[in-house]
């Protein structure tokens, strides 16, 4: 059994916020990427969080026969899809404030490797800690929707940074400390919601 598998087994999905932060800091400190690259990474991860939240919700059985949770899943699917469209719209708005149409593609090409790593990390985290250990059989569909609150909080910070702080402090987007501060804020938000999605926490504190 690989060291990675052992790490995942011991720490569940708590390592994902650290990987996300490490990738962002690597881009900032070693590759000299600017805040625009970091914004793209954040928004890509937002898409991944929403996508996998819906996947987990659809497979969550709450310890009941699948047929008995169809209606609840359908309601959450409609709500989650609507929120997803709304959050994607906000993400596009944030991108439009930070990039031109051409620069988005240029910046995206610059972070393709990091985007791929994030994708693989989220796939592994969800597979190892939800499907391979059979957690989906007892998970509650509604508790998987906590991820959408997670996304909302991250989008609020991105909106604050790109729409309010940068226009007020034009040099902020060039300040390494400002970009690192944004990365650290996201890291603590990720860590907080990783705790909320811990199966032990959810077994004692249902979302609704």
């Amino acid at each position: 059994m690989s060291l990675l598998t052992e790490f995942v087994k011991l720490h569940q999905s708590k390592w994902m916020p650290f990987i996300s932060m490490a990738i962002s800091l690597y881009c900032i400190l070693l590759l000299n990427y600017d805040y625009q690259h970091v914004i793209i990474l954040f928004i890509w991860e937002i898409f991944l969080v929403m996508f996998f939240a819906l996947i987990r919700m659809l497979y969550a059985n709450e310890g009941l026969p699948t047929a008995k949770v169809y209606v609840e899943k359908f309601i959450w699917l409609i709500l989650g899809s609507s929120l997803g469209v709304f959050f994607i719209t906000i993400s596009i708005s944030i991108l439009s404030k930070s990039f031109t149409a051409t620069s988005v593609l240029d910046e995206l090409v610059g972070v393709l490797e990091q985007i791929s790593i994030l994708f693989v990390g989220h796939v592994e985290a969800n597979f190892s800690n939800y499907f391979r250990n059979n957690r989906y059989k007892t998970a509650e569909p509604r508790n998987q929707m906590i991820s959408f609150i997670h996304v909302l909080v991250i989008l609020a910070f991105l909106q604050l940074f790109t729409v309010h702080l940068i226009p007020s402090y034009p040099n902020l987007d060039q300040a390494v400390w400002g970009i690192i501060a944004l990365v650290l804020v996201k890291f603590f938000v990720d860590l907080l919601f990783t705790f909320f999605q811990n199966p032990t926490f959810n077994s004692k504190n249902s979302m609704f």
Side-chain angles (χ1 to χ4, degrees):
M1 190 174 293
S2 67
L3 289 176
L4 177 60
T5 304
E6 286 295 327
F7 187 79
V8 170
K9 180 180 177 181
L10 290 172
H11 297 274
Q12 298 178 358
S13 60
K14 293 184 179 65
W15 50 272
M16 199 59 220
F18 292 92
I19 289 181
S20 178
M21 180 182 65
I23 290 173
S24 298
L25 293 179
Y26 171 78
C27 290
I28 297 167
L29 298 176
L30 297 181
L31 301 181
N32 296 318
Y33 283 2
D34 55 24
Y35 88 98
Q36 293 175 321
H37 290 95
V38 175
I39 295 296
I40 286 180
L41 289 177
F42 285 2
I43 289 179
W44 168 245
E45 195 163 12
I46 282 171
F47 293 163
L48 291 177
V49 168
M50 291 192 296
F51 174 75
F52 284 111
L54 288 177
I55 294 295
R56 292 196 309 272
M57 181 275 296
L58 289 173
Y59 279 91
N61 280 333
E62 204 171 344
L64 300 171
T66 304
K68 291 191 176 181
V69 289
Y70 269 150
V71 175
E72 180 184 356
K73 288 182 180 181
F74 179 75
I75 293 171
W76 285 120
L77 179 61
I78 296 299
L79 178 60
S81 300
S82 301
L83 286 173
V85 170
F86 175 64
F87 291 155
I88 289 172
T89 303
I90 294 176
S91 300
I92 292 172
S93 173
I94 290 173
L95 287 173
S96 67
K97 293 289 192 302
S98 305
F99 308 92
T100 64
T102 304
S103 66
V104 170
L105 295 177
D106 292 338
E107 303 287 352
L108 184 60
V109 169
V111 292
L112 282 179
E113 183 179 353
Q114 290 77 19
I115 282 175
S116 300
I117 293 172
L118 284 173
F119 175 74
V120 172
H122 277 273
V123 169
E124 172 63 19
N126 281 275
F127 176 72
S128 297
N129 302 292
Y130 194 74
F131 294 101
R132 187 161 60 192
N133 63 4
N134 293 323
R135 181 180 155 199
Y136 71 94
K137 293 181 179 180
T138 55
E140 297 181 7
R142 58 185 174 275
N143 281 335
Q144 310 314 309
M145 305 306 287
I146 293 176
S147 293
F148 283 85
I149 303 175
H150 180 187
V151 167
L152 178 61
V153 174
I154 293 175
L155 282 174
F157 280 113
L158 289 181
Q159 189 86 352
L160 175 65
F161 187 81
T162 59
V163 178
H164 300 289
L165 291 181
I166 288 181
S168 300
Y169 305 95
N171 294 325
L172 185 61
D173 61 342
Q174 302 300 323
V176 173
W177 67 266
I179 306 172
I180 291 177
L182 180 64
V183 170
L184 291 178
V185 167
K186 178 183 175 294
F187 167 71
F188 285 113
V189 170
D190 290 346
L191 207 59
L192 179 66
F193 279 93
T194 298
F195 170 76
F196 285 151
Q197 290 179 306
N198 184 282
T200 304
F201 178 86
N202 282 340
S203 66
K204 298 177 181 178
N205 303 274
S206 181
M207 184 179 172
F208 297 103

